[in-house]
Structures are given as C-alpha cells and as structure tokens.
Amino acid sequence: MVEVNKSDGQPEAGMALIIPNSNGNKKDEVSLPDLSRRMQEFATARNWDQFHSPRNLLLALVGEVGELSEIFQWRGEVPKGLPGWSAGDKEHLGEELSDVLLYLVRLSDICGIDLGQAALRKIRKNGIKYPVEKCKVSSNKYTAYQ
Amino acid sequence: MVEVNKSDGQPEAGMALIIPNSNGNKKDEVSLPDLSRRMQEFATARNWDQFHSPRNLLLALVGEVGELSEIFQWRGEVPKGLPGWSAGDKEHLGEELSDVLLYLVRLSDICGIDLGQAALRKIRKNGIKYPVEKCKVSSNKYTAYQ
Amino acid sequence: MVEVNKSDGQPEAGMALIIPNSNGNKKDEVSLPDLSRRMQEFATARNWDQFHSPRNLLLALVGEVGELSEIFQWRGEVPKGLPGWSAGDKEHLGEELSDVLLYLVRLSDICGIDLGQAALRKIRKNGIKYPVEKCKVSSNKYTAYQ
Amino acid sequence: MVEVNKSDGQPEAGMALIIPNSNGNKKDEVSLPDLSRRMQEFATARNWDQFHSPRNLLLALVGEVGELSEIFQWRGEVPKGLPGWSAGDKEHLGEELSDVLLYLVRLSDICGIDLGQAALRKIRKNGIKYPVEKCKVSSNKYTAYQ
C-alpha cells in the first residue's frame, strides 16, 4: 500500500495517493490498480459483490456514458478546454467521466483483465497500426486511418 | 518522467511503467496521468490534435463502448472471471476495454479535467451517498440505492 | 393526413392513427413517417429546429440508450415478457424505448434518410447475408453469423 | 396482412408495404408492427428466437449505436441534410440507423411493449411537459427544458 499524505496534514485512509517518483519526489498520480482496489473495498463493504456481474456492470457503464452524452447533447461543437463552462458544469462533467471510469475499472477487474497493462499493450499496437510517418503526411485524411 | 525497466532487460521508451513505491520497491502500476501523456504524445506525433475535439472524442468513445457490448451481446449471463472464454476472446476484451479507457482519458485531458483526482472525489462522494451500514442491511434492495 | 378516431368517441388531433387496411378494416398501426411528422411539428411549434443538428440528436439518442440500459442494469438475466415486472416498470420501459425511437426518427429525418424504407432494405440485405438454410442447421453457432 | 405491390410490377413477399389510406389511395408508409412481424419471421426462420432475450438484444442495440456514432465521430459539426456526403456514406448511415431501429423494435416486442403506441403516448406526455407557449418564448434556454 502506498504512503498517503493529505495537504491538510490529516492522513485519510485510501482517499489520496502520493507516490514518490524515481527522483524521490512525491507525485500525486492515481493508478488504475489503486482505483480497482478502492472499488473492490467499496463493493465488499456494502455486500454489493453479488450484483457486480460482467453484464450488469457493462449496462451500468452504458448508463453512465448516456449521462456523459447528455452533458454535451445540446451544445453544438464544444472547443477544447470548455471555455465559458461554469465551475459547476465542469464539476458535473468530472463526475460523469469518473462514473464511466469507475465502472470500466470494476468491469475489467470482475473479468480478470489487468486494464492498465492492456491499455499499454493497446497503445503499442496502435503505434504499429498507425505509423507516425504515414499518418503525419496524410493528416487531412485521418478518417482513412481510424 | 518515471524510470522504465523491461523484464527482458531492454529499456523501451515509454511502454512499461515501473514506479518505486514508498518502500523503495518497484511497483508496476499504470497511472492515469501516464496514459494521458502517452495519448498526447501519440496524437501530436501524428498531427491528430486537430481531430481531438471534445464531441469527436465522445462519439469515438461511444463507438468503442459499442464494440465492447458486441463481445457480450449473444452470450446470455456471463459469470465472473469469464470461465470458458478462450485466450483470444479475453485478449479481444482487453483491447476493447482499453479503447474505451484511452478515449476516456483523452476526452478528460482535452476538457481540462484531472480524471484521476475526479475519480477519487467521486468515490468519496459515493461513500457518503451510500453509507455502509444502511447498504449492508439492505443488500437485497440494491436497486433502491443506485 | 389520416383519419383519426379515438375509442372514447372524441377526435383528438394527431394522437391516434387509424389506417384502413387493404380489406377496408380500420387498423391501428403507427407508421414511421407519421412519427417523423409529429416530431417535426413538435420541434417547429417550440422553435427547437435550431437545436436539432445531427450530432446533437445523436448524443441525445445515446443519452436515452443510457436511460434504457439503467432499467436493465442490476437485474441479471431478464426473461422474455418481463414476468414479475410491475405495471409501473413496464410503463417506464415503454417510455425509454420511445425516447430512443423518437430521437432516431428525428435524426433520420434531419439527415434526409427515409428510415422506414432503409429498414426494409436492411432486412432484405440481412436475409441474403444470413441464409435461412445455413443458419437453421447451425443455430448453436449464432455468434458465427452475427 | 397488407396488400403488397412493387412499382416494378413484381409482387415480392413482404418486402414492400403499400397501405391504402383513408382516401383509398395507396400509401407507402412503413409501420412499426410490420417491422415487428418481419423481425419475428426472420428470427423464427433461422432458429434465432433462442438468442433474443431482452438483455442480449439491448447489448446488440448498444453495439449498433456504437457503429452509428463511428460514422459521425471525426467529422466535427455536421449540417442538416448532410451536404457533401457521398451516396455511399448516406447509404451506410441508413443501414446503421436501420440496425438500431430493428433491434429496438425486436427488443420492444420481446418485452411485450407496443412500441408505436408507447411512442404516441410519449409524444403526448412531452407535449404537456414542454408547453408550446413557454418553450417558444424561451427558445434560447432550451437546455433548461430538456
């Protein structure tokens, strides 16, 4: 278990994650296995493991993707960085993005998939599928690549 | 940047992530900021930043959720751990879970949302919304809580 | 405009659809073009045409699919006909199915696609793709066909 | 069963739908019950009823919504009527819209929901929820209504 230190000086079990990096500095980076453990503890403490079957979790994920979409549905095109969005809108967005992530992490865990390692493999595979040189010169034909 | 070491003794830039934890041991835990950086580098190297608007990425995410659903669609109920699934089926599942994750990470980044910190806040908020004692005694009425 | 007759004897503009079929009998069958016209009238009456761009409607559709999924998410496998569901549950389900349909109809209309004719063409195409004889003998390998 | 007449003078069982309307004219309007019957016949002919459980069909629907989203994902904002789209792009779009519709119709049928009647009820309910006068004067605050 990693060391936990809160900026208010109060240790709080499992809610903040501070990892010393290779230079010995503290780094505040949330890991996928950490989220997985928290979700497991959360479910076990509430007797919810019984409900966390793969297809139940998948449908819950789809439900959260729907809520995420609702945030963007009537806005027309939205620029990067969300200029003009209120702090409340951004907080709401952060919550819906998180809900998708948390069910995705839980679904992976229940299926026995190491999501973080799978993601690294997928990035590597994508790198081979979309070679830099070929993509760069054809960036106006992006759709042909994805 | 974290130190990278591959088990085959060959350093490979940016594809494996080994973080020394607070006890000084190496830990192989993939972090969300690391995935975010990799996705940024991937897009920049290919001139793809121009395509990564919030709603483009959201629709790409929905597309990947569709592919994830297709894996489960004709199977009826699927038990935890996916007994009876072939190695190929599981690898395919890992790839689709990863595709959802990678677009989610990228969407969050483009929106200026720190996904990892948002997820920690959401777990905390859920903990208040669903108190352990109340949920435990009513675990047969889960739907009433979510 | 089709003739409208309500069973309570009160004509109500545009809310029931009774079409005499080829035998001269009244038939109460809702058509896709009729739903399309109703959605157009609904939007125009409220000055909502300005919001009904293709991608806005698509994201609204995804939102409704999410709500539909939420109905099924914690139930485990659900048998045909929904035995044990309350009348309220079924009404709620009918509303969410309808929301998906109505946005789908509207999206098709805004894109200039005749959804009903496209659906007939797709059924015909599927019939060629999945020949009856080949599917029937291999019905235990359905996943191989879809 | 309705009378079927093809414009090329060749009767083709069940693939075109021409309904005489109340004025005695032929009308080419595809109805939801007709699609429901075609889907039932399609499944029965192939021994596929065994696979058409509510949650299987729901996940298949989500898969098709994903394919629909992929068509729009890298295009940025798309104007009404899809100017500049090729005939092939539009045909592909029609097919994906149809796939969503056909699974929606089938899911409704398997759940025992009359989708067409439910949609009419939902339009009526929406009309009460969003009164014309209130919406018209506030059309710049649409998000407040939906």
Side-chain angles (χ1 to χ4, degrees):
Chain A
M1 193 61 188
V2 296
E3 184 184 3
V4 170
N5 255 315
K6 291 278 291 176
S7 56
D8 59 1
Q10 297 233 2
E12 184 183 352
M15 290 317 295
L17 182 67
I18 300 176
I19 303 170
N21 71 1
S22 58
N23 298 321
N25 297 324
K26 299 283 178 183
K27 276 177 65 181
D28 184 10
E29 300 215 336
V30 180
S31 78
L32 289 162
D34 181 61
L35 291 179
S36 175
R37 286 187 294 268
R38 288 168 196 262
M39 291 298 285
Q40 176 60 58
E41 290 167 15
F42 197 96
T44 302
R46 286 160 184 79
N47 268 352
W48 283 358
D49 290 287
Q50 60 185 316
F51 303 108
H52 286 187
S53 65
R55 300 218 313 179
N56 278 11
L57 290 164
L58 175 54
L59 287 172
L61 170 70
V62 173
E64 297 300 339
V65 170
E67 293 190 35
L68 178 60
S69 296
E70 285 174 13
I71 294 179
F72 288 94
Q73 70 191 4
W74 300 125
R75 293 179 179 269
E77 205 52 29
V78 171
K80 296 185 187 189
L82 315 180
W85 288 43
S86 71
D89 283 346
K90 288 183 186 177
E91 189 182 342
H92 180 205
L93 174 58
E95 290 186 2
E96 298 304 339
L97 290 164
S98 297
D99 283 336
V100 176
L101 176 64
L102 295 173
Y103 279 127
L104 188 70
V105 163
R106 186 73 177 142
L107 171 59
S108 302
D109 206 32
I110 290 298
C111 290
I113 305 286
D114 184 325
L115 181 60
Q117 294 303 319
L120 294 184
R121 277 196 303 274
K122 193 54 167 53
I123 292 175
R124 186 184 301 169
K125 189 173 178 177
N126 287 345
I128 295 166
K129 190 175 176 186
Y130 305 109
V132 166
E133 283 317 307
K134 200 172 169 193
C135 293
K136 201 148 196 169
V137 296
S138 309
S139 63
N140 58 335
K141 288 181 280 178
Y142 181 56
T143 52
Y145 288 105
Q146 288 210 353
Chain B
M1 193 61 186
V2 296
E3 184 184 4
V4 170
N5 256 315
K6 292 277 293 177
S7 58
D8 59 3
Q10 297 233 1
E12 184 183 352
M15 291 318 294
L17 182 67
I18 299 175
I19 304 172
N21 72 1
S22 58
N23 299 321
N25 298 322
K26 299 283 179 186
K27 275 180 66 182
D28 183 10
E29 300 215 336
V30 179
S31 77
L32 288 163
D34 181 61
L35 291 178
S36 175
R37 285 187 295 267
R38 289 167 196 262
M39 291 298 284
Q40 176 60 58
E41 290 166 15
F42 197 96
T44 301
R46 285 159 184 79
N47 268 352
W48 283 358
D49 290 287
Q50 58 185 316
F51 304 107
H52 286 188
S53 65
R55 302 220 310 182
N56 278 13
L57 290 163
L58 175 55
L59 287 172
L61 170 70
V62 173
E64 297 300 339
V65 170
E67 294 189 36
L68 178 60
S69 296
E70 285 174 14
I71 294 179
F72 289 94
Q73 70 190 3
W74 301 125
R75 294 180 178 269
E77 205 52 29
V78 171
K80 296 184 187 190
L82 315 180
W85 287 42
S86 70
D89 283 346
K90 287 183 185 176
E91 188 182 342
H92 180 205
L93 174 59
E95 290 185 1
E96 297 304 340
L97 290 164
S98 297
D99 283 337
V100 176
L101 176 64
L102 294 174
Y103 278 126
L104 187 71
V105 163
R106 185 74 177 142
L107 171 59
S108 302
D109 207 31
I110 289 297
C111 291
I113 304 287
D114 185 325
L115 181 59
Q117 293 303 321
L120 293 184
R121 277 197 303 274
K122 194 54 166 56
I123 292 174
R124 186 184 300 168
K125 189 172 178 177
N126 287 345
I128 295 166
K129 190 174 176 187
Y130 305 109
V132 165
E133 282 317 306
K134 200 172 171 193
C135 293
K136 201 150 196 167
V137 295
S138 308
S139 63
N140 58 336
K141 287 181 283 179
Y142 181 57
T143 52
Y145 287 104
Q146 289 207 354
Chain C
M1 196 61 189
V2 297
E3 183 183 6
V4 170
N5 255 316
K6 292 277 292 177
S7 57
D8 58 3
Q10 296 234 359
E12 185 183 350
M15 291 317 295
L17 182 67
I18 300 176
I19 303 171
N21 71 0
S22 58
N23 299 322
N25 297 324
K26 299 282 180 186
K27 276 178 65 182
D28 184 10
E29 301 215 336
V30 180
S31 77
L32 288 163
D34 181 60
L35 290 178
S36 176
R37 286 186 294 267
R38 289 167 196 262
M39 291 298 284
Q40 177 60 58
E41 290 166 14
F42 197 97
T44 302
R46 285 160 184 78
N47 268 353
W48 283 359
D49 290 288
Q50 59 185 316
F51 303 107
H52 286 188
S53 65
R55 302 219 310 182
N56 278 11
L57 290 164
L58 174 55
L59 287 172
L61 170 70
V62 173
E64 297 300 339
V65 170
E67 294 190 37
L68 178 60
S69 296
E70 285 175 13
I71 295 179
F72 287 94
Q73 71 190 4
W74 300 124
R75 292 180 180 270
E77 206 51 30
V78 172
K80 296 185 188 189
L82 316 180
W85 287 43
S86 70
D89 283 346
K90 289 182 184 176
E91 188 182 342
H92 180 204
L93 174 58
E95 290 185 0
E96 298 303 339
L97 291 164
S98 298
D99 283 337
V100 177
L101 176 64
L102 294 174
Y103 279 126
L104 187 71
V105 163
R106 185 73 177 143
L107 171 58
S108 302
D109 206 31
I110 290 297
C111 290
I113 304 287
D114 184 326
L115 181 59
Q117 293 304 321
L120 294 184
R121 278 197 302 275
K122 194 55 166 56
I123 292 175
R124 185 184 303 170
K125 189 173 177 177
N126 287 345
I128 294 166
K129 191 175 176 186
Y130 305 110
V132 166
E133 282 317 306
K134 200 171 171 194
C135 292
K136 202 148 196 167
V137 296
S138 309
S139 64
N140 58 335
K141 287 180 283 179
Y142 181 57
T143 52
Y145 288 105
Q146 289 209 353
Chain D
M1 194 63 187
V2 296
E3 184 183 5
V4 171
N5 255 315
K6 290 278 290 178
S7 56
D8 59 2
Q10 297 233 1
E12 186 183 351
M15 290 318 296
L17 182 67
I18 300 176
I19 303 170
N21 70 2
S22 58
N23 299 320
N25 298 324
K26 298 283 179 185
K27 275 177 67 181
D28 184 10
E29 301 216 335
V30 179
S31 78
L32 288 162
D34 180 61
L35 290 178
S36 175
R37 286 187 295 267
R38 289 167 196 260
M39 291 297 285
Q40 177 59 57
E41 290 167 15
F42 197 96
T44 302
R46 286 159 183 79
N47 268 353
W48 283 358
D49 290 288
Q50 59 185 314
F51 303 107
H52 286 187
S53 65
R55 301 220 311 181
N56 278 12
L57 290 164
L58 175 55
L59 287 173
L61 170 70
V62 173
E64 298 300 340
V65 170
E67 294 190 36
L68 178 60
S69 296
E70 286 174 13
I71 294 179
F72 288 94
Q73 70 191 3
W74 301 124
R75 292 180 179 268
E77 205 53 28
V78 171
K80 296 186 188 188
L82 315 180
W85 288 43
S86 70
D89 282 346
K90 288 183 186 177
E91 189 182 343
H92 180 204
L93 174 58
E95 290 185 2
E96 298 304 338
L97 290 165
S98 297
D99 283 336
V100 176
L101 176 64
L102 294 174
Y103 279 126
L104 188 71
V105 163
R106 185 73 176 143
L107 171 59
S108 302
D109 205 32
I110 290 297
C111 289
I113 304 286
D114 185 325
L115 180 59
Q117 293 303 320
L120 293 184
R121 277 197 303 275
K122 194 56 167 54
I123 292 175
R124 186 184 301 172
K125 189 173 178 177
N126 287 345
I128 294 166
K129 191 175 176 187
Y130 305 110
V132 166
E133 282 317 307
K134 202 173 169 191
C135 292
K136 201 148 196 170
V137 296
S138 309
S139 63
N140 58 334
K141 287 181 282 179
Y142 182 56
T143 51
Y145 288 105
Q146 287 210 356

